[in-house]
């Protein structure tokens, strides 16, 4: 296989990806490749990744538990810190139990691997995260996708199904920032032989979880919570079922127990609500200012604010122009988003100032 040819083709199509080196802590001000930038390219929505209280909790966790867990959860790797975090997450989400995973991708693969043989069909939103699509393929069921956030499209496909199945949706969609119609989905699954599964990677910690009874809820801890890992929440029997059947859970070393100690402190700050209030105020300010400038921002009320460019080369050029002016904003291209919807993906954090937001939007307006 000629890998060099493939790489050249990616570059010619403006689809080549390259890594930039961060030389500072994750924050609203960041140093990338030696350049100081205002960071609008981070999923640290509540600005907790560099929070002093969480860093202190992590240090105490290292003192108490060491750095690595040393083993999988089913051997000697499941510490008191892991168990306490699972209990805290169950309380926060209002579910009977939770189960920790090393990452959201692993958690989604873990859910589907456990359900292999238990489902006859799966219906997924057209814009679900790649990990949900890959997980679906893992269990060897045909990938059926309904139109994005379209309840009528879902109902039409649902009417053709028989046997046990699952409806799967992102809660906040990672590239568009809009939110699933969970209340409508709750009504659909209420009286049917159907499970609802939510991937709330981009909503957890910001919006209150809306979890129907006997459904599956997955969320990540490396975004709004500012640490790392993920968890699955559900009833007692389902979590115990995952422990017995989920291959990524069974065969993966547990995350650092010190991370669990830090995440418990993150939950305390999330429950206090101050950072959410600051983020939601920034979202309102951002949207009002884009409207005043006439910028065509998509209809999102989450921390993810996409500006559709529609051309990969142009999106890259604008992103680079912003970088040179001191702003870090990602250009998103296929296959992450469909061709023709290339975009700038602006992510807002709680600690952004209104001045920083104004400066960014003025530069985007000029670049367009």
């Amino acid at each position: 296989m000629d890998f060099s040819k493939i790489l050249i083709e990616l570059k010619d199509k403006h689809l080549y990806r390259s890594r930039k080196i961060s030389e500072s802590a994750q924050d609203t001000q960041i140093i990338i490749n030696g350049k100081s930038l205002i960071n609008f390219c981070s999923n640290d929505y509540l600005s907790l990744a560099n929070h002093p209280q969480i860093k202190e909790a992590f240090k105490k966790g290292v003192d108490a538990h060491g750095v690595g867990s040393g083993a999988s959860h089913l051997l000697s790797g499941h510490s008191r810190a892991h168990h306490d975090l699972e209990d805290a997450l169950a309380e926060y989400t209002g579910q009977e139990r939770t189960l920790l995973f090393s990452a959201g991708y692993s958690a989604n693969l873990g859910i589907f691997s456990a359900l292999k043989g238990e489902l006859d069909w799966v219906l997924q939103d057209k814009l679900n995260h790649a990990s949900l699509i890959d997980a679906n393929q893992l269990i060897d069921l045909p990938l059926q996708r309904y139109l994005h956030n379209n309840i009528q499209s879902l109902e039409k496909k649902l009417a053709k199904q028989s046997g046990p199945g699952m409806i799967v949706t992102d809660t906040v969609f990672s590239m568009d920032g809009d939110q699933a119609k969970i209340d409508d989905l709750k009504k659909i699954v209420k009286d049917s032989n159907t499970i609802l599964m939510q991937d709330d990677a981009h909503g957890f910690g910001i919006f209150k979880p809306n979890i129907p009874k006997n459904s599956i809820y997955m969320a990540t801890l490396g975004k709004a919570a500012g640490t790392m890992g993920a968890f699955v929440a559900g009833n007692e029997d389902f979590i115990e079922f995952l422990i017995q059947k989920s291959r990524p859970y069974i065969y993966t070393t547990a995350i650092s127990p010190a991370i669990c100690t830090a995440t418990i402190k993150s939950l305390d700050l999330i429950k206090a609500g101050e950072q959410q209030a600051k983020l939601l105020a920034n979202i309102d300010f951002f949207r009002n200012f884009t409207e005043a400038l006439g910028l065509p921002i998509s209809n999102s009320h989450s921390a993810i604010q996409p500006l559709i460019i529609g051309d990969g080369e142009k999106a890259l050029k604008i992103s680079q122009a912003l970088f040179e002016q001191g702003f870090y904003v990602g250009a998103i291209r296929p296959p992450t988003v469909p061709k023709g919807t290339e975009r700038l993906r602006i992510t807002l954090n709680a600690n952004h100032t209104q001045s920083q937001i104004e400066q960014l939007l003025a530069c985007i307006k000029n670049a367009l």
Side-chain angles (χ1 to χ4, degrees), residues 5-171:
K5 182 180 179 181
I6 294 171
L7 293 174
I8 290 169
E9 289 175 352
L10 288 172
K11 289 178 181 178
D12 289 343
K13 295 176 182 178
H14 308 290
L15 298 177
Y16 189 81
R17 289 163 168 78
S18 59
R19 298 183 299 179
K20 294 180 173 67
I21 299 175
S22 174
E23 301 170 34
S24 63
Q26 187 65 229
D27 218 323
T28 53
Q29 195 84 27
I30 194 169
I31 298 174
I32 298 287
N33 291 355
K35 183 177 178 63
S36 180
L37 300 161
I38 299 171
N39 187 10
F40 285 96
C41 193
S42 168
N43 295 333
D44 181 27
Y45 302 130
L46 296 181
S47 300
L48 295 180
N50 194 34
H51 195 285
Q53 291 184 40
I54 296 173
K55 290 193 291 185
E56 185 61 31
F58 179 74
K59 293 172 186 175
K60 289 180 179 178
V62 170
D63 289 341
H65 302 284
V67 178
S69 64
S72 67
H73 285 276
L74 292 178
L75 292 176
S76 61
H78 187 70
S79 70
R80 170 54 59 186
H82 293 97
H83 211 74
D84 288 347
L85 176 56
E86 288 180 345
D87 287 346
L89 289 167
E91 180 183 9
Y92 178 77
T93 57
Q95 300 301 292
E96 290 179 4
R97 282 185 71 182
T98 68
L99 194 67
L100 289 172
F101 284 80
S102 59
Y105 210 112
S106 178
N108 283 338
L109 293 178
I111 292 167
F112 277 77
S113 73
L115 291 172
K116 185 178 176 69
E118 305 298 327
L119 300 172
D120 291 339
W121 54 268
V122 178
L123 297 177
Q124 296 212 34
D125 189 286
K126 185 74 172 175
L127 296 186
N128 275 354
H129 189 264
S131 61
L132 293 170
I133 305 307
D134 292 351
N136 199 143
Q137 294 171 338
L138 172 71
I139 65 173
D140 201 28
L141 280 178
L143 180 56
Q144 300 184 68
R145 303 171 80 173
Y146 58 92
L147 297 177
H148 174 53
N149 241 352
N150 188 313
I151 299 301
Q152 291 72 33
S153 173
L154 170 60
E155 289 176 329
K156 286 180 181 179
K157 290 186 177 293
L158 184 60
K160 299 176 183 178
Q161 312 305 321
S162 61
M166 185 163 69
I167 296 170
V168 183
T169 184
D170 281 9
T171 312

Side-chain angles (χ1 to χ4, degrees), residues 340-358:
T341 69
E342 293 86 348
R343 65 196 65 189
L344 298 178
R345 181 181 182 267
I346 302 161
T347 52
L348 300 172
N349 294 176
N351 287 358
H352 280 131
T353 67
Q354 291 187 358
S355 175
Q356 289 171 335
I357 295 171
E358 287 178 350

